Amino acid sequence: MPEWWTYSLEDFLLFSPRVYWRMFELQNAALWPLQALTVGLGFAAIALAVRQPYASGRFVALVLAILWAFVGWSFLWNRYTTINWAAAYVAPVFAVEAVLLLAVGTLLNGLVFDRRGPAGGMGYVLLAFALAGQPLLAPLQGRVWASSEIFGIAPDPTAIGTLGFLLLARGKTLSLLLPIPLLWCFLSGITLWSMGAPEAWAAFAAVMLALAACIGMIIAQHVRPR
């Protein structure tokens, strides 16, 4: 029997890259033209957060909660579990994030989108990538457009877009909303890396940008000019 250190991440994959990307083709085909609605809601949420930073928290949180619940059910539970048994344990976590968004953002109105500076800039970068950049990765990597990952339809852009919104926000309970999107991006990055997919850099970069922004915010809160 081979020693444990002789194994690589690829040895633990339960599916091939072709099967993995085929899931997104099937998801997009089954839900078309819902993609236009989810992306449109994403851009509408950005516009509202910019124009009405103090009054848009409930709407943005509601949109994100619906999308997290929908992606967890439609993609993770109905599709990903067919090739990866572990997805059955992740899908409920997406539901938890949806409940947290409803509780913090909608019921408590705990999000105010008035953050500026480096953290806000990183938030806009993540939002731009999630809504407009990530769908382009499929053709850039030689895959068909139908396998593109779309905000509100696929988990990665949904999580990255959520991180973008959270980096624009202020709120005492904001820390409750960050761990799950960060954890998903990290786990997705590991999966993509084990497949040798260049898309892994996007998930890891989202984690690093979000963590850097959070560390910067913590430092800014505790360092006062003398």
Side-chain angles (χ1 to χ4, degrees):
M1 182 177 178
E3 301 294 343
W4 64 268
W5 57 80
T6 64
Y7 288 99
S8 63
L9 284 175
E10 293 87 344
D11 295 318
F12 295 95
L13 272 180
L14 302 175
F15 45 83
S16 67
R18 181 178 178 277
V19 170
Y20 180 82
W21 296 119
R22 176 63 175 164
M23 279 195 309
F24 296 96
E25 292 185 49
L26 295 173
Q27 178 82 340
N28 286 328
L31 298 178
W32 178 260
L34 189 60
Q35 291 85 344
L37 175 61
T38 60
V39 173
L41 283 172
F43 280 112
I46 294 173
L48 193 60
V50 171
R51 297 182 62 181
Q52 300 182 28
Y54 296 97
S56 58
R58 283 193 169 96
F59 173 78
V60 175
L62 179 60
V63 168
L64 292 176
I66 292 172
L67 295 181
W68 273 82
F70 178 71
V71 171
W73 170 76
S74 66
F75 184 84
L76 292 177
W77 187 260
N78 287 339
R79 295 200 185 278
Y80 204 7
T81 54
T82 62
I83 66 170
N84 185 357
W85 57 267
Y89 298 95
V90 180
V93 179
F94 270 56
V96 170
E97 180 70 10
V99 171
L100 289 173
L101 284 162
L102 284 174
V104 172
T106 303
L107 299 179
L108 301 178
N109 196 22
L111 297 178
V112 176
F113 297 100
D114 65 343
R115 188 176 295 280
R116 301 293 183 266
M122 291 180 189
Y124 284 118
V125 168
L126 292 179
L127 283 168
F129 176 78
L131 273 74
Q134 190 145 18
L136 300 177
L137 294 184
L140 288 175
Q141 297 303 322
R143 304 195 314 272
V144 295
W145 275 99
S147 66
S148 294
E149 297 173 82
I150 309 297
F151 177 78
I153 303 295
D156 282 20
T158 304
I160 293 173
T162 300
L163 290 175
F165 278 113
L166 295 179
L167 292 185
L168 296 177
R170 294 180 187 271
K172 295 180 179 179
T173 51
L174 188 62
S175 60
L176 294 175
L177 304 176
L178 284 164
I180 291 177
L182 283 171
L183 179 60
W184 170 261
C185 289
F186 178 72
L187 293 177
S188 179
I190 291 177
T191 299
L192 293 167
W193 184 31
S194 68
M195 294 193 305
E199 289 86 350
W201 69 264
F204 289 139
V207 173
M208 289 187 290
L209 282 175
L211 288 177
C214 291
I215 292 172
M217 289 186 284
I218 292 172
I219 293 174
Q221 288 174 355
H222 289 83
V223 175
R224 296 288 184 271
R226 296 182 179 180

